Amino acid sequence: MKIVFDSKIFYHQKFGGPSRYFFNLFENLNLINESAYIVSPTYSNNYLKNSQFKKNILGINVPKIKFSNIIFTEIDKFASKLIIKKIKPQILHTTDYFESKTDTNSPLVVTVHDLIHEIFFTEFAKEKDYRPKKRILNLADHIICVSENTKKDLIKFYDIDEKKITVIYHGNSFSNIKSSFNIESTTKLNFKYFLYIGSRKRYKNFFSLIDAFSENRQIYNEYKIVCVGGGKLLNSETKRLKEKNIDLNKIIIFPNNDDNLLYNLYKNASALIYPSSYEGFGMPVVEAMGLGCPVICSNSSSLPEVYGNAALSFSPNSKNELSKAIEKIVFDQDFRKKIIEFGFIQSKKFSWEKCAKETLSVYKKLI
């Protein structure tokens, strides 16, 4: 089967969730002898640069420069249509970021990762009925959601026929890694820390974590918080931390994300703390569980689907619950070991091979 992934995310995301999703799907479909192609005329993405199926990536690696987003987005729109028309794929698979269908008779599959823009519309638009995915979803022949919760939200906001939707979970990006990483190759952390991954904005509840972390002075004195991704600490964040009397040396920032760094931080963290009030899936939770990193996680949106019984959960609105969860992981070592064991078991439910095979079943039904 000839499958084309048409996605502009490979220019915008070096390591982001949708970027990782499409790359792993692409690689695993080729591993089971399907002909999958990525059409991304211009990209700035570390996964694509290192792909074992480079000949099936139709595009060139370009640097990120000022105003390049606008320039390369326009180039991609034009060039993608020409390339796809020449390939004549049996399936076209894209993200909900696109608003139009390439000129082809191929069935269109669209993956929806979350409904963040719709739920938190005030952060993206003034209109309460902001529906940025409406056009592409109307064009789609089938829609894949990455969790049952995302499916529920999609039906709520877009009134999509349930028969048009299939839920297929992400895989675990570290599930096939043996031991090719070395903590010395990235950085050596000679202190105890909790791991935080992703943006620190708004619904991610980063400052709720800060409040809970500083609640117990023994834990505050002995531990630090290591943040990966989300960029450098903003002046407004620094000001807020100082207002809370937080020693800035307690917050370690790795502004950019990469798998080598993540692997080592998961392996050595006292716990991953994931306080977000909304996620379409929550990939760091699966990755942490698979690498023996205990998980303290919000009990909202899709997250309980992902961690099952393998995390210490709390309400994202309760600083007290999070503080007690942190204390439980730190002071109850028997419980910590049990959570780690449950995590290994739970993480095995998520694999990219399984994701690829289930996605292939969707393609076959469409053609």
Side-chain angles (χ1 to χ4, degrees):
M1 187 184 299
K2 196 178 284 187
I3 306 148
V4 161
F5 295 106
D6 180 21
S7 185
K8 66 181 181 180
I9 55 164
F10 291 111
Y11 179 72
H12 298 276
Q13 294 189 333
K14 286 180 181 291
F15 288 101
S19 167
R20 181 178 287 186
Y21 165 82
F22 277 103
F23 173 74
N24 279 292
L25 199 49
F26 159 79
E27 292 263 308
N28 279 272
L29 284 167
N30 280 303
L31 284 170
I32 56 177
N33 298 316
E34 299 297 331
S35 297
Y37 296 85
I38 286 175
V39 174
S40 186
T42 58
Y43 63 84
S44 178
N45 183 277
N46 290 16
Y47 293 123
L48 300 195
K49 279 162 56 177
N50 301 315
S51 173
Q52 60 183 310
F53 299 104
K54 203 74 178 282
K55 63 182 176 58
N56 287 20
I57 297 171
L58 307 179
I60 57 170
N61 184 55
V62 293
K64 283 200 171 187
I65 54 176
K66 196 173 183 181
F67 302 121
S68 60
N69 281 9
I70 299 168
I71 297 167
F72 290 127
T73 294
E74 290 306 310
I75 291 172
D76 281 5
K77 280 181 184 177
F78 177 74
S80 290
K81 290 181 179 179
L82 295 178
I83 296 168
I84 292 169
K85 200 170 183 179
K86 187 176 180 180
I87 295 174
K88 296 178 181 176
Q90 290 165 282
I91 289 288
L92 185 63
H93 191 162
T94 188
T95 67
D96 56 49
Y97 297 178
F98 274 69
E99 295 183 357
S100 61
K101 184 176 179 179
T102 306
D103 185 18
T104 172
N105 293 322
S106 312
L108 176 65
V109 177
V110 175
T111 294
V112 176
H113 292 271
D114 56 57
L115 278 292
I116 286 171
H117 290 82
E118 292 81 357
I119 293 171
F120 302 98
F121 69 93
T122 54
E123 297 175 20
F124 303 98
K126 293 179 180 178
E127 305 88 10
K128 191 172 183 180
D129 61 345
Y130 182 52
R131 300 291 185 270
K133 303 176 179 64
K134 188 173 183 178
R135 179 171 169 78
I136 193 65
L137 294 177
N138 285 339
L139 291 169
D141 293 288
H142 201 78
I143 299 164
I144 292 173
C145 289
V146 298
S147 67
E148 292 290 347
N149 190 77
T150 295
K151 175 184 173 181
K152 181 191 75 176
D153 289 341
L154 186 67
I155 293 171
K156 174 184 175 182
F157 283 94
Y158 289 94
D159 195 27
I160 303 287
D161 184 351
E162 192 170 357
K163 293 176 183 176
K164 193 179 177 180
I165 305 170
T166 299
V167 173
I168 301 176
Y169 291 122
H170 286 307
N172 178 3
S173 299
F174 296 118
S175 61
N176 296 320
I177 293 172
K178 302 301 181 187
S179 58
S180 57
F181 296 98
N182 186 338
I183 191 69
E184 301 289 347
S185 67
T186 50
T187 185
K188 186 174 182 179
L189 305 182
N190 57 355
F191 50 81
K192 293 187 282 188
Y193 63 90
F194 300 108
L195 185 60
Y196 176 92
I197 295 173
S199 168
R200 298 180 296 276
K201 295 177 182 177
R202 299 171 290 269
Y203 67 91
K204 294 289 188 176
N205 288 334
F206 174 70
F207 282 93
S208 295
L209 164 58
I210 294 299
D211 289 340
F213 168 67
S214 60
E215 191 78 4
N216 185 300
R217 298 315 290 180
Q218 181 183 341
I219 292 174
Y220 176 80
N221 291 332
E222 292 181 11
Y223 288 79
K224 297 185 180 186
I225 296 175
V226 172
C227 304
V228 180
K232 295 178 181 178
L233 206 62
L234 300 175
N235 290 336
S236 58
E237 293 175 316
T238 300
K239 181 182 177 183
R240 198 167 169 187
L241 288 167
K242 286 180 178 178
E243 288 172 353
K244 292 176 178 291
N245 295 315
I246 301 296
D247 180 355
L248 295 182
N249 291 319
K250 288 285 180 183
I251 313 299
I252 311 301
I253 303 288
F254 291 98
N256 301 311
N257 194 348
D258 76 71
D259 284 347
N260 189 67
L261 173 66
L262 266 182
Y263 176 86
N264 290 298
L265 292 176
Y266 281 134
K267 294 288 283 185
N268 294 277
S270 296
L272 168 73
I273 303 181
Y274 211 63
S276 178
S277 61
Y278 181 85
E279 293 295 325
F281 180 76
M283 204 178 289
V285 174
V286 171
E287 293 172 345
M289 292 189 301
L291 291 175
C293 176
V295 174
I296 300 173
C297 189
S298 157
N299 61 9
S300 67
S301 61
S302 65
L303 295 168
E305 286 181 63
V306 177
Y307 60 69
N309 67 343
L312 194 52
S313 65
F314 63 94
S315 166
N317 301 315
S318 174
K319 178 186 78 172
N320 186 53
E321 284 184 25
L322 176 52
S323 179
K324 288 187 180 305
I326 293 171
E327 290 175 359
K328 184 79 172 171
I329 284 290
V330 169
F331 298 124
D332 191 338
Q333 289 304 302
D334 289 338
F335 178 80
R336 186 174 186 275
K337 288 176 184 176
K338 188 181 293 185
I339 284 292
I340 291 172
E341 289 171 10
F342 287 164
F344 281 130
I345 296 168
Q346 180 70 5
S347 69
K348 287 181 170 60
K349 297 177 182 178
F350 305 93
S351 79
W352 286 114
E353 182 183 7
K354 181 184 177 190
C355 178
K357 287 179 178 178
E358 290 179 1
T359 304
L360 185 59
S361 294
V362 169
Y363 299 159
K364 287 179 177 177
K365 287 176 184 176
L366 289 174
I367 61 172

